[in-house]
Amino acid sequence: MEKKTASRKRRKYDENFKQEILKMINSGRSVPEVARTMGLGENLVYKWKAESRIHENPEEKSVNSELDQLRKQIRQLETERDI
């Protein structure tokens, strides 16, 4: 007996569609509400929302990267101090 796997195709959304979703959220609607209304997964909408913030403020990405690096350095120095 052969197993048949259902192949699911990924849906692709253009930038205009994403922008409309983000406008709905920025107008005060909740992410779960918008996702449910548009037939999208909540995680996907949250991802688009996060990506839009990074695109609006590219410095935020570099600041977060630097912050992560400094936290790592602090942990390393604390470990060395404790030894």
Side-chain angles (χ1 to χ4, degrees):
M1 180 180 226
E2 292 181 34
K3 278 190 175 181
K4 291 185 180 181
T5 58
S7 61
R8 294 180 70 186
K9 290 187 178 181
R10 285 191 146 182
R11 293 185 284 178
K12 295 196 178 205
Y13 301 99
D14 64 1
E15 286 302 313
N16 291 333
F17 180 76
K18 292 177 185 179
Q19 292 303 318
E20 289 300 316
I21 297 297
L22 294 172
K23 283 181 188 175
M24 293 169 79
I25 294 168
N26 291 334
S27 70
R29 295 178 68 183
S30 70
V31 170
E33 178 187 359
V34 171
R36 195 171 36 254
T37 302
M38 301 303 289
L40 301 168
E42 286 182 35
N43 289 339
L44 180 61
V45 178
Y46 279 118
K47 178 183 170 187
W48 291 346
K49 186 177 175 184
E51 288 174 351
S52 74
R53 275 188 262 134
I54 290 172
H55 290 297
E56 288 173 3
N57 189 0
E59 291 177 4
E60 183 178 327
K61 187 174 182 179
S62 66
V63 169
N64 286 338
S65 174
E66 183 179 1
L67 184 58
D68 289 340
Q69 183 181 12
L70 290 171
R71 286 180 176 151
K72 183 178 178 181
Q73 186 177 4
I74 288 171
R75 284 191 303 268
Q76 180 182 358
L77 291 170
E78 287 175 339
T79 302
E80 290 175 5
R81 179 199 66 199
D82 292 343
I83 293 174

